[in-house]
Amino acid sequence: MRLTRRRFALAAAGAMAAGPFSARAQSVAISDDVVRIGLIEDMAGVYADITGTGCVTAAQMAIDEFGGRVLGKPVELVFADHQNKPDVAASIARQWLDERKVDAILDVASSSPALAVIEIAKEKGKIITLSSPGSTRITNENCGPFVVHWAYDTYAIAQSTAQALVRQGFDTWFFVTADYAFGHGLQEQSTRVVSENNGRVLGSVRLPVGTADFASALLRAQSSGAKVVALANAGTDTINSIKQASQFGLTQGGQKLATLAGFINDIHGLGLAEAQGLTITEASYWDSSDETRAWSRKFFDKVKAMPNMLQTGTYSSTLHYLKAVTAAKTDASGPVMEAMRAIPVDDIFYKNGKIRPDGRMVHDSMSLFEVKTPAESKGPWDYYKRLATIPGDQAFQPLPASTCTLVRRP
C-alpha cells in the first residue's frame, strides 16, 4: 500500500512533532503484511570485502534475533549490487520503493551511490539508515527527516586519527585520496584537524576508485618529506596503496603511514608483517567483550571473516529499526522514525546512542586502534590494540556546526 501525499505529509509531520509516538500508531497495521528491508551494497567490487555479504549477513542476524517477525508479521530482507555506480543505485532504490514495496533502506555502500539513494528515499518519504558511507554531506546539505547516519563519518575519523597523530608530533601531512565524495571528505576533515592543531598539509594527489598503480602518488608523497602519508581511500585501494608504500620504503624512511578508512579486513589481507603499527579508527571491534566475541564467532561461521564497523553498524541499525517498528506498532515512516529517535541505541556494539535532529546517530563507541606486531598477536584476527575511545560529543561534528536545514538555529 503506497502512501498518498496526504498520508505522507501527516507521517512526516508526526516524525518531527513532540509527544508519545505510540498513541498515534495504535490503530495502524503493517503495510502489505510484510516488513521489507533493503540493502544496496558493493557485492563484487573494491568495497565487497568490507560491505557486501558481510552487511547482508549482519542485517539478517538482527532479523533472526527477532525470530524473523515483528508485530506478528514476517520480515523480509532484499539486497542488490550497485556496482559502485550512483545511477544504478538510484534505479534500484526507485524500483524497490515503487514496485517491491520496500519499507526502509538500511544501508548503501559507498558515499556517491548513497547520496543518490538518499534523494530517492526523501522523495518517497522512506527511512534510510547508512553505516557504510562516510561523507558528512549525509547529515549536512543532504539531510532529511528520515535520513540517519549510523556507524561513523569522515569527521569522526579525522577527530580521532588526525588529532592523535599531530599531537604526537606528526605535524606535516601528504594525502593520497580517492577521488569521490568519501575521499574528499576524509581529506577535508583531516586537513581541518591538522590545521587546528598547528600542523601543515604539504600536498595531495587524487586518484580514481579502483586505481591499481599508486607509484606516482607515493613517490610524490615520499619526496614531499611529510611526516605522515595519509591514505584517504578504502577497500582494495587501501590494501594496494599500503603494499606499494612498503615496496617504496616509505615507513622504512621514517614516514608514518596513516589509514584514514582502514578496516580489520584490510589488516587480515595485508598480514601483520606489513600492517603492524598502522593507526585505524573503527566504531567496533569484535574482541571487545564476551558478547561481541560470541556474536562475531556466529558471524565468522557464516562469512569466514570477523566483522568491521560497517557490518556491525548495519546489524545495529536493523535491530534498532525493528525495535522502533515494534514500539510504533506500524511500519509507516513517520511513527517509526519518531520511535527511532525516542529509543536509545544500546546494543552489544553501539553504546549510549541517540539520533540527533540532523540525522547523526551519536554514540560513545568510536575508538582509535594501533595494529599489533606479529609477536603481540595471539592468532588470526587478533589485530588491534585500543589506544583510546572517544565520547560521542567529541567524536562527531557538533550539532550547531551542522548545515542541515532541520537543525533549529538560535
Side-chain angles (χ1 to χ4, degrees):
M1 179 172 62
R2 187 180 302 170
L3 289 173
T4 65
R5 288 187 178 181
R6 176 172 173 77
R7 288 184 64 218
F8 165 66
L10 290 171
M16 306 309 296
F21 54 82
S22 58
R24 288 195 297 272
Q26 291 293 334
S27 62
V28 184
I30 296 298
S31 60
D32 309 303
D33 290 328
V34 176
V35 175
R36 194 168 286 110
I37 294 167
L39 305 177
I40 308 177
E41 304 290 352
D42 179 359
M43 303 301 293
V46 294
Y47 306 126
D49 284 347
I50 58 175
T51 64
T53 300
C55 285
V56 174
T57 299
Q60 187 61 54
M61 288 175 69
I63 293 168
D64 291 345
E65 286 186 25
F66 263 72
R69 303 179 74 82
V70 62
L71 297 176
K73 303 298 182 181
V75 181
E76 180 183 336
L77 179 65
V78 297
F79 61 91
D81 183 359
H82 58 41
Q83 305 166 50
N84 285 300
K85 297 177 181 178
D87 58 334
V88 172
S91 177
I92 292 167
R94 190 175 294 279
Q95 191 267 337
W96 278 1
L97 300 180
D98 283 345
E99 301 174 21
R100 295 197 64 179
K101 304 186 187 306
V102 168
D103 296 297
I105 296 174
L106 299 187
D107 194 40
V108 181
S110 181
S111 292
S112 294
L115 291 169
V117 174
I118 282 174
E119 297 311 308
I120 305 301
K122 285 161 65 174
E123 175 190 331
K124 303 296 180 182
K126 294 294 186 179
I127 289 171
I128 178 168
T129 70
L130 299 159
S131 288
S132 294
S135 175
T136 54
R137 287 175 57 184
I138 293 166
T139 51
N140 283 303
E141 58 263 45
N142 291 89
C143 73
F146 303 136
V147 180
V148 184
H149 205 177
W150 205 265
Y152 80 112
D153 57 31
T154 54
Y155 186 101
I157 296 287
Q159 281 298 106
S160 53
T161 304
Q163 185 168 268
L165 289 177
V166 175
R167 289 179 177 178
Q168 291 173 29
F170 296 97
D171 56 0
T172 53
W173 287 54
F174 189 101
F175 289 91
V176 178
T177 301
D179 193 11
Y180 74 116
F182 173 68
H184 300 170
L186 273 177
Q187 180 178 335
E188 177 185 336
Q189 297 292 349
S190 298
T191 297
R192 173 186 55 78
V193 175
V194 169
S195 299
E196 287 175 353
N197 288 272
N198 299 316
R200 291 183 298 134
V201 174
L202 303 184
S204 65
V205 176
R206 289 183 175 180
L207 297 170
V209 173
T211 293
D213 185 359
F214 289 86
S216 177
L218 293 170
L219 285 172
R220 285 182 59 183
Q222 194 171 40
S223 64
S224 75
K227 295 178 183 178
V228 176
V229 178
L231 304 177
N233 53 21
T236 55
D237 286 352
T238 298
I239 293 173
N240 289 336
S241 50
I242 291 173
K243 286 181 176 179
Q244 291 174 42
S246 177
Q247 294 166 8
F248 282 106
L250 260 72
T251 54
Q252 294 91 325
Q255 289 177 297
K256 177 78 171 177
L257 199 62
T259 51
L260 296 178
F263 301 92
I264 196 167
N265 314 71
D266 304 328
I267 305 309
H268 188 73
L270 287 164
L272 291 181
E274 282 193 284
Q276 60 184 307
L278 289 173
T279 53
I280 287 181
T281 297
E282 287 213 55
S284 67
Y285 181 40
W286 74 270
D287 198 14
S288 295
S289 68
D290 288 343
E291 287 182 309
T292 61
R293 284 186 283 272
W295 188 93
S296 299
R297 289 185 183 111
K298 294 177 183 177
F299 179 92
F300 183 90
D301 288 343
K302 301 173 187 293
V303 180
K304 306 308 176 190
M306 287 301 182
N308 60 47
M309 67 175 169
L310 314 185
Q311 295 155 350
T312 61
T314 304
Y315 160 78
S316 175
S317 64
T318 303
L319 196 65
H320 194 72
Y321 174 78
L322 294 175
K323 290 177 181 177
V325 171
T326 301
K329 302 188 185 306
T330 177
D331 57 4
S333 296
V336 173
M337 189 70 248
E338 191 175 358
M340 290 178 70
R341 294 182 188 276
I343 300 170
V345 178
D346 189 19
D347 53 62
I348 61 172
F349 289 107
Y350 293 82
K351 303 297 183 184
N352 194 29
K354 60 181 179 181
I355 300 171
R356 298 191 317 199
D358 61 347
R360 176 66 256 171
M361 196 281 278
V362 175
H363 56 83
D364 290 337
S365 301
M366 293 300 302
S367 295
L368 180 66
F369 298 96
E370 183 176 276
V371 177
K372 291 182 176 182
T373 67
E376 290 172 323
S377 175
K378 298 176 182 178
W381 302 97
D382 176 28
Y383 297 152
Y384 286 171
K385 293 186 292 186
R386 193 185 305 269
L387 301 180
T389 298
I390 301 93
D393 60 356
Q394 297 177 28
F396 297 100
Q397 175 179 271
L399 186 60
S402 174
T403 60
C404 175
T405 55
L406 300 175
V407 177
R408 293 183 178 179
R409 309 296 173 186

